[in-house]
């Protein structure tokens, strides 16, 4: 089945981690042998594997923070630097599009044409990579810190940005993020006004609880959680509790399931020596929980976050590359999900949301 993945840090991997995503993951792993750090020589995601896994569309991020806590390659000393990094990642996607590797999607007509092309290719059971359509990209901003002022949102919208998550980790310029108990900032409230004006989807992922509830009261536009699991199964602030998930469901949003083991298994520790084994089936537990909350399968999808600062060492044991997302179809079927429900979870729900927002 075709897949839509709602969260991939492709530009960040290419530019900040210096990965040529046109190469296969096996080649990229060989090139990183001897480089220290989490995820090095263990990457899972590159364009060949995305094609092999029939990922027709992904939400591709612009990722740069300026929280006042500088960190190499992700958190910068000034908003101007974060702006430059995000614009560079956008330029990378544009370069991939010029080379024919991807297709940046910004409106409904192009989305429908793109999906029709993929569905025709899939129906013909094609194996010829030369005839396979390019990967569709929906540009998402993870942390709004690169936006110098809320009034410039029109420029980012014109450049192709269609989703924004106001915060990431730490105290963002617009909202409190993961690991904080901070609300929206005054600039954050103004940003939400501008997002609603320009029909930008709010990605609630990474908002602190305080910022989440304030944003939900303040913002009436479309809301998603691109890569969030269930706090009731993994009791950690990074996940959303049932009341937060229910609110997204009530607003006809979609929650994307991540593959980061920290978000799938309680007590899993980055770099731990005695971590339990985690398999893809545990993602189905989170999917099923959201379906039970909703009473249907219309509000959950995939938001893998693969290679979001980690690699195979922090991914399910039975996943080698992102192409293995295809295994989720069988696991859902074994759990009793019908084919129509599986299609909705793997791509249909994200497609329905984009069609509704891009009316």
């Amino acid at each position: 089945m075709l897949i839509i993945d709602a969260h991939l840090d492709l530009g960040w991997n290419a530019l900040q981690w210096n990965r040529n995503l046109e190469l296969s993951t096996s080649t990229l792993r060989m090139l990183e042998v001897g480089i220290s750090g989490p995820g090095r020589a263990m990457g899972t995601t590159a364009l060949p594997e995305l094609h092999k896994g029939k990922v027709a569309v992904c939400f591709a991020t612009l990722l740069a923070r300026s929280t006042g806590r500088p960190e190499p390659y992700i958190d910068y000393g000034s908003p101007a630097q974060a702006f430059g990094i995000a614009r560079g990642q956008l330029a990378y996607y544009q370069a991939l599009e010029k080379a024919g590797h991807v297709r940046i999607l910004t409106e409904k007509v192009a989305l429908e044409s793109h999906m029709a092309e993929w569905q025709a290719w899939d129906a013909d059971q094609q194996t010829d990579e030369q005839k396979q359509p390019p990967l569709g990209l929906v540009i998402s901003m993870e942390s709004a810190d690169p936006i110098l002022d809320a009034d410039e949102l029109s420029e980012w919208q014109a450049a192709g940005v269609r989703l924004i998550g106001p915060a990431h980790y730490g105290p963002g310029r617009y909202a409190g993020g993961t690991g904080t108990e901070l609300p929206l900032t005054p600039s954050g409230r103004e940003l939400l006004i501008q997002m609603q004006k320009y029909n930008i989807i709010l990605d609630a992922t990474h908002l602190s609880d305080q910022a989440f509830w304030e944003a939900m009261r303040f913002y009436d536009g479309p809301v998603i959680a691109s890569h969030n699991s269930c706090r009731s199964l993994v009791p950690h602030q990074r996940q959303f509790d049932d009341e937060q998930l229910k609110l997204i469901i009530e607003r006809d949003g979609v929650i994307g399931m991540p593959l980061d083991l920290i978000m799938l298994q309680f007590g899993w520790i980055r770099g731990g020596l005695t971590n339990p084994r985690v398999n893809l089936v545990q993602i189905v537990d989170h999917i099923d929980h959201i379906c039970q909350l909703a009473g249907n399968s219309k509000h959950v999808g995939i938001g893998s976050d693969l290679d979001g600062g980690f690699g195979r060492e922090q991914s399910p044991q039975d996943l080698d590359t992102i192409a293995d997302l295809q295994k989720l179809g069988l696991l859902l079927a074994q759990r009793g999900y019908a084919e129509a429900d599986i299609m909705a979870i793997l791509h249909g729900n994200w497609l329905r949301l984009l069609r509704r927002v891009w009316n």
Side-chain angles (χ1 to χ4, degrees):
M1 292 187 183
L2 300 184
I3 289 174
I4 295 180
D5 189 330
H7 191 83
L8 290 175
D9 299 317
L10 300 181
W12 184 67
N13 270 271
L15 301 188
Q16 277 57 60
W17 281 43
N18 197 19
R19 286 175 166 167
N20 178 2
L21 299 182
E22 299 171 43
L23 302 176
S24 68
T25 55
S26 60
T27 299
L28 290 174
R29 290 172 187 173
M30 287 299 298
L31 291 173
E32 291 184 354
V33 170
I35 300 176
S36 61
R40 289 300 191 177
M42 301 192 77
T44 67
T45 303
L47 292 173
E49 284 68 34
L50 285 160
H51 283 296
K52 182 179 179 181
K54 295 186 177 181
V55 179
V57 176
C58 75
F59 297 1
T61 67
L62 311 179
L63 174 57
R65 303 193 309 248
S66 182
T67 66
R69 303 175 180 179
E71 182 179 341
Y73 308 118
I74 191 167
D75 203 316
Y76 297 89
S78 70
Q81 290 168 273
F83 174 97
I85 293 296
R87 285 287 176 161
Q89 292 169 0
L90 178 60
Y92 171 71
Y93 296 138
Q94 293 167 341
L96 288 180
E97 184 174 47
K98 286 183 179 180
H101 296 301
V102 307
R103 178 182 290 145
I104 298 174
L105 305 171
T106 59
E107 45 87 26
K108 187 175 181 179
V109 172
L111 173 68
E112 298 290 8
S113 175
H114 177 81
M115 289 305 298
E117 188 177 347
W118 266 94
Q119 287 161 350
W121 179 87
D122 189 42
D124 289 342
Q125 298 183 332
Q126 294 272 9
T127 58
D128 186 353
E129 292 183 3
Q130 297 297 322
K131 297 181 180 180
Q132 190 171 20
L135 169 67
L137 300 185
V138 178
I139 305 299
S140 173
M141 181 177 283
E142 186 176 27
S143 170
D145 287 356
I147 300 174
L148 300 178
D149 185 273
D151 288 339
E152 75 172 27
L153 185 60
S154 62
E155 299 172 20
W156 288 97
Q157 194 269 352
V161 173
R162 293 295 179 268
L163 303 94
I164 293 178
H168 191 228
Y169 284 88
R173 296 177 56 232
Y174 292 95
T178 300
T180 76
E181 296 184 356
L182 300 172
L184 297 175
T185 66
S187 295
R189 290 189 286 274
E190 179 60 31
L191 178 67
L192 291 180
I193 292 173
Q194 295 297 318
M195 286 174 61
Q196 194 157 324
K197 177 180 177 181
Y198 290 103
N199 200 32
I200 301 292
I201 298 168
L202 171 62
D203 184 355
T205 305
H206 282 298
L207 288 176
S208 70
D209 288 353
Q210 292 78 1
F212 175 92
W213 290 111
E214 188 177 0
M216 295 305 107
R217 292 191 298 268
F218 201 82
Y219 179 79
D220 293 329
V223 177
I224 69 165
S226 65
H227 56 305
N228 252 100
S229 56
C230 307
R231 195 178 297 181
S232 63
L233 301 181
V234 181
H236 184 280
Q237 189 246 19
R238 171 64 179 82
Q239 283 62 257
F240 282 162
D241 65 27
D242 285 358
E243 294 307 307
Q244 292 169 306
L245 296 172
K246 287 178 183 177
L247 190 145
I248 295 173
I249 291 166
E250 290 168 5
R251 293 181 60 164
D252 201 20
V254 180
I255 300 104
M257 290 296 97
L259 273 68
D260 183 344
L261 298 190
I262 290 173
M263 292 189 271
L264 295 176
Q265 174 67 54
F266 178 63
W268 203 95
I269 300 171
R270 183 192 293 268
L273 299 178
T274 58
N275 282 321
R277 291 178 61 88
V278 180
N279 294 317
L280 286 165
V281 70
Q282 286 173 253
I283 298 168
V284 181
D285 296 337
H286 289 263
I287 291 173
D288 193 59
H289 183 78
I290 292 172
C291 290
Q292 297 303 320
L293 289 176
N296 55 57
S297 62
K298 298 178 180 179
H299 299 281
V300 63
I302 305 302
S304 72
D305 196 22
L306 284 172
D307 292 351
F310 61 95
R312 290 195 67 243
E313 83 288 354
Q314 199 169 310
S315 304
Q317 297 286 323
D318 48 348
L319 179 137
D320 181 46
T321 76
I322 197 167
D324 291 322
L325 290 179
Q326 285 292 335
K327 294 179 180 180
L328 289 173
L330 177 59
L331 294 173
L332 287 164
Q334 291 172 345
R335 190 67 65 93
Y337 282 81
E339 183 176 0
D341 295 315
I342 297 170
M343 290 179 66
I345 292 165
L346 294 186
H347 73 266
N349 291 334
W350 288 122
L351 186 58
R352 176 178 56 85
L353 181 134
L354 291 175
R355 283 170 170 162
R356 173 171 63 84
V357 174
W358 294 353
N359 53 23

